[in-house]
C-alpha cells in the first residue's frame, strides 16, 4: 500500500511538471512572433500617433512587404502600450525551446518507468511472493534520480493522512459556516440587463461583493473588477437557456465595473476578467476581499457610456456629469467634503499647538539666558571685591 501511494504521488508530481513545461514551450515557440511584432510597432511609431487604430507599414524583416497593423482596442489604449506589453511578455520567454524539449523527454521517460511499475504492482498478488516487490523497489530506487521516486515510510503515510483529514474537516466547516452567513444576510445587488439580454449583477457594498463572488456566481459566468483600485464586483451571468453574450454585453459589464470604482473619472480604465472558479478567499480577509488564481484577460471600460439613469443616481450622491460624459470639475461627494473639513480642522489645530509650543520654548530659552547673565554679573562682582581686599593686604 505504501508503494502504491508513493507511485501515485510521484505520478502526480510528474504530471504537474509536464503541464508546466508544455505551457512554457508554447510561450517559447511564440517568442519570435512576439518580438517581430513588437519591433515592427516600435520602428513605425512615427506613423502611429496616439488615437490611431490601424496603419499600413513596411515589414523589412519580410523584404519590405506592406503590412497592416491593427490595434486591439479592447486590450490596449495605444500602439506604444502594446509594444511595451509585447516586450515585457518576450522577456518572460527567454527559456529556450531546446532545453524545454530535453526536459520534456526526461519527463516522458519518467512517466514510462512509473507506468510500468504501476502495471507490475497491479498484476502482483500474494501468490507471487515478496520477490517481485523487492525487485520492483530496487528498480525504482535505481531510477529515482530521474523520476524523483521516494518510498514513503509508514509514519509519513499516517502523518499525511492525518493532515489531509484535518484540512478536509476544516474546509467543510468553513464552507458550511460561510454559506450559512451569506444566506442569512439580505444582499442589495444591482441587477441590470445587457443589450444582448444577459443579466449583469453589480455589488453595492462589501456584503454584495462577497455574495456575488461566492454565492451567486457559477462556473460559466464572467467576473469583472476594475484593475488596481477599489470597486464593485461585477458578474456577467452566462446560464443555460439564456442568450449568448455579445461584445456589447462584455463592454457594458466592463463600463459598469469602472463606473462603480475609484477610476470612474477616467476616460477609460482596464478591467480584469476572471472565471468564478479561480476566485479564492484569503484567510482572515474581510468581506469583499478576494484573490485571483488565474485571469481570463483584460478589457478597457468606458465609464461615460453607462446608461443615463445610473448617472442620474450618482448625481444624487454628489457626483455630476457634463455634456461630454465626464465628471464636472469641483463637484465632490458630501462625505468627501466632510472628510476634508475634518482633516483641515485637525491640521489647523496641530499647527496652532506647534506654534504655542515653539513660543513656550522661546520664552524658556530667554529666561534661561537671563539667569545665566545674572549669575555671570554676580560672579564678576565677587571677583572684584576679592581683588581689592588682596591689594589692601599686600600694601
Amino acid at each position: 500500500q505504501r508503494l502504491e501511494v508513493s507511485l501515485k504521488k510521484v505520478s502526480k508530481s510528474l504530471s504537474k511538471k509536464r503541464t508546466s513545461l508544455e505551457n512554457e514551450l508554447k510561450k517559447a515557440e511564440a517568442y519570435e512572433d512576439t518580438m517581430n511584432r513588437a519591433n515592427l510597432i516600435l520602428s513605425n511609431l512615427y506613423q502611429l500617433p496616439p488615437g490611431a487604430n490601424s496603419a499600413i507599414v513596411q515589414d523589412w524583416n519580410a523584404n519590405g512587404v506592406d503590412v497592416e497593423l491593427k490595434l486591439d482596442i479592447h486590450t490596449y489604449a495605444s500602439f506604444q502600450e502594446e509594444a511595451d506589453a509585447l516586450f515585457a511578455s518576450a522577456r518572460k520567454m527567454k527559456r529556450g525551446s531546446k532545453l524545454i524539449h530535453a526536459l520534456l523527454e526526461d519527463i516522458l521517460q519518467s512517466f514510462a518507468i512509473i507506468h510500468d511499475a504501476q502495471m507490475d504492482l497491479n498484476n502482483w498478488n500474494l501468490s507471487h511472493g515478496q520477490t517481485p516487490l523487492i525487485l520492483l523497489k530496487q528498480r525504482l530506487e535505481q531510477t529515482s534520480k530521474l523520476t524523483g521516486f521516494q518510498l514513503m515510510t509508514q509514519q509519513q503515510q499516517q502523518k499525511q493522512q492525518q493532515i489531509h483529514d484535518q484540512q478536509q474537516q476544516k474546509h467543510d466547516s468553513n464552507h458550511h459556516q460561510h454559506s450559512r452567513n451569506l444566506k442569512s444576510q439580505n444582499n442589495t445587488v444591482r441587477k441590470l440587463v445587457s443589450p444582448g439580454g444577459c443579466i449583469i449583477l453589480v455589488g453595492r457594498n462589501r456584503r454584495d461583493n462577497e455574495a456575488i463572488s461566492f454565492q451567486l456566481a457559477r462556473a460559466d459566468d464572467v467576473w469583472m473588477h476594475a484593475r488596481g483600485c477599489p470597486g464593485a464586483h461585477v458578474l456577467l451571468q452566462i446560464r443555460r437557456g439564456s442568450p449568448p453574450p455579445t461584445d456589447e454585453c462584455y463592454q457594458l459589464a466592463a463600463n459598469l465595473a469602472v463606473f462603480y470604482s475609484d477610476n470612474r473619472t477616467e476616460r477609460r480604465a482596464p478591467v480584469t476578467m476572471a472565471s468564478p472558479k479561480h476566485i479564492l478567499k484569503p484567510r482572515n480577509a474581510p468581506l469583499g476581499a478576494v484573490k485571483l488564481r488565474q485571469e481570463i484577460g483584460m478589457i478597457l471600460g468606458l465609464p461615460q457610456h453607462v446608461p443615463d439613469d445610473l448617472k442620474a443616481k450618482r448625481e444624487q450622491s454628489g457626483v455630476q456629469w457634463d455634456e461630454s460624459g465626464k465628471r464636472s470639475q469641483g463637484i465632490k461627494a458630501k462625505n468627501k467634503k466632510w472628510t476634508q473639513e475634518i482633516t483641515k480642522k485637525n491640521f489647523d489645530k496641530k499647527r496652532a499647538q506647534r506654534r504655542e509650543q515653539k513660543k513656550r520654548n522661546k520664552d524658556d530659552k530667554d529666561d534661561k539666558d537671563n539667569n545665566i547673565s545674572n549669575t555671570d554679573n554676580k560672579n564678576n562682582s565677587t571677583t572684584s571685591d576679592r581683588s581689592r581686599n588682596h591689594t589692601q593686604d599686600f600694601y
Side-chain angles (χ1 to χ4, degrees):
Q1 185 180 3
R2 289 188 290 112
L3 183 59
E4 183 179 1
V5 172
S6 301
L7 287 173
K8 289 181 179 180
K9 183 178 179 181
V10 70
S11 178
K12 185 177 180 180
S13 177
L14 290 173
S15 178
K16 290 182 178 180
K17 291 181 180 179
R18 182 178 65 179
T19 303
S20 177
L21 288 174
E22 288 176 350
N23 293 334
E24 290 188 15
L25 181 60
K26 292 179 181 179
K27 294 180 181 179
E29 291 175 348
Y31 173 78
E32 293 184 0
D33 295 337
T34 302
M35 285 297 299
N36 288 338
R37 179 170 177 82
N39 289 323
L40 182 62
I41 294 175
L42 188 64
S43 60
N44 293 278
L45 276 179
Y46 66 95
Q47 302 183 37
L48 304 169
N53 296 332
S54 63
I56 302 296
V57 299
Q58 292 181 339
D59 187 3
W60 296 107
N61 290 330
N63 298 326
V65 177
D66 290 341
V67 178
E68 183 180 5
L69 282 177
K70 291 184 178 181
L71 177 66
D72 186 1
I73 59 175
H74 297 292
T75 307
Y76 306 106
S78 64
F79 280 103
Q80 178 67 56
E81 182 179 345
E82 182 181 0
D84 295 340
L86 291 176
F87 280 120
S89 177
R91 284 193 292 269
K92 298 179 182 179
M93 302 176 184
K94 289 185 177 180
R95 195 170 188 180
S97 59
K98 293 183 178 180
L99 178 60
I100 297 176
H101 279 300
L103 293 175
L104 277 175
E105 291 179 0
D106 294 341
I107 293 294
L108 294 177
Q109 187 178 356
S110 301
F111 260 119
I113 295 173
I114 297 300
H115 179 71
D116 293 343
Q118 289 177 334
M119 294 292 294
D120 294 341
L121 184 62
N122 293 334
N123 295 330
W124 175 85
N125 54 46
L126 294 176
S127 61
H128 296 158
Q130 297 295 326
T131 303
L133 288 181
I134 295 174
L135 295 176
L136 179 60
K137 291 178 182 179
Q138 291 178 354
R139 188 175 66 189
L140 290 172
E141 289 176 355
Q142 292 175 356
T143 58
S144 61
K145 187 175 181 180
L146 177 64
T147 61
F149 173 81
Q150 186 177 2
L151 183 61
M152 184 181 298
T153 63
Q154 188 173 0
Q155 294 180 351
Q156 291 177 343
Q157 184 181 3
Q158 293 177 355
K159 185 176 180 180
Q160 185 178 6
Q161 185 64 30
Q162 184 179 2
I163 293 174
H164 180 269
D165 295 340
Q166 291 177 355
Q167 291 179 348
Q168 187 65 29
Q169 184 179 1
K170 185 177 180 180
H171 174 75
D172 295 341
S173 177
N174 291 340
H175 181 72
H176 177 71
Q177 182 68 23
H178 183 66
S179 300
R180 186 175 62 183
N181 291 340
L182 288 177
K183 292 180 181 179
S184 63
Q185 298 168 349
N186 295 326
N187 56 61
T188 57
V189 177
R190 295 183 182 90
K191 187 175 181 181
L192 301 96
V193 180
S194 67
C198 296
I199 296 177
I200 301 176
L201 303 180
V202 183
R204 295 176 183 267
N205 48 47
R206 291 185 177 184
R207 185 176 291 109
D208 290 351
N209 292 339
E210 191 85 2
I212 286 176
S213 300
F214 299 106
Q215 183 182 3
L216 303 177
R218 298 294 181 267
D220 295 333
D221 297 342
V222 177
W223 180 91
M224 296 187 185
H225 192 282
R227 179 171 292 183
C229 69
H233 293 199
V234 178
L235 186 71
L236 177 61
Q237 292 186 339
I238 305 175
R239 305 296 170 83
R240 182 180 300 176
S242 62
T246 61
D247 293 340
E248 290 79 7
C249 299
Y250 286 101
Q251 188 60 56
L252 177 59
N255 297 344
L256 292 170
V258 178
F259 182 75
Y260 291 106
S261 73
D262 286 356
N263 284 338
R264 68 177 66 91
T265 58
E266 302 292 336
R267 292 184 58 189
R268 60 177 65 185
V271 176
T272 299
M273 297 191 301
S275 175
K277 63 183 179 181
H278 294 304
I279 301 176
L280 305 176
K281 183 68 178 178
R283 182 177 299 178
N284 300 327
L287 284 175
V290 299
K291 179 180 179 181
L292 295 184
R293 183 170 52 189
Q294 183 179 344
E295 296 182 7
I296 295 178
M298 189 269 291
I299 185 173
L300 290 178
L302 309 174
Q304 66 272 20
H305 291 171
V306 299
D308 293 336
D309 57 337
L310 297 180
K311 295 179 182 179
K313 292 180 180 179
R314 292 293 297 177
E315 290 178 3
Q316 297 177 2
S317 63
V319 179
Q320 296 184 0
W321 298 77
D322 55 20
E323 296 179 354
S324 63
K326 300 179 182 179
R327 181 179 178 179
S328 300
Q329 296 180 357
I331 305 301
K332 300 181 180 179
K334 294 180 180 179
N335 59 346
K336 192 171 184 179
K337 287 185 178 180
W338 180 81
T339 303
Q340 289 180 346
E341 290 176 0
I342 296 298
T343 303
K344 187 175 183 303
K345 289 181 180 179
N346 292 335
F347 178 77
D348 294 340
K349 184 179 178 180
K350 291 182 179 180
R351 184 169 61 179
Q353 290 177 352
R354 287 196 298 268
R355 287 180 178 177
E356 187 178 354
Q357 182 66 32
K358 187 176 180 180
K359 184 178 180 181
R360 285 200 301 266
N361 293 339
K362 185 177 180 181
D363 294 341
D364 293 342
K365 184 178 180 180
D366 293 341
D367 293 341
K368 187 176 180 180
D369 292 340
N370 292 333
N371 292 333
I372 293 174
S373 178
N374 293 334
T375 302
D376 291 341
N377 293 333
K378 185 176 180 180
N379 292 336
N380 292 334
S381 178
T382 304
T383 304
S384 178
D385 293 342
R386 288 179 180 177
S387 176
R388 288 196 298 271
N389 293 335
H390 178 72
T391 304
Q392 186 177 2
D393 293 340
F394 180 78
Y395 285 103

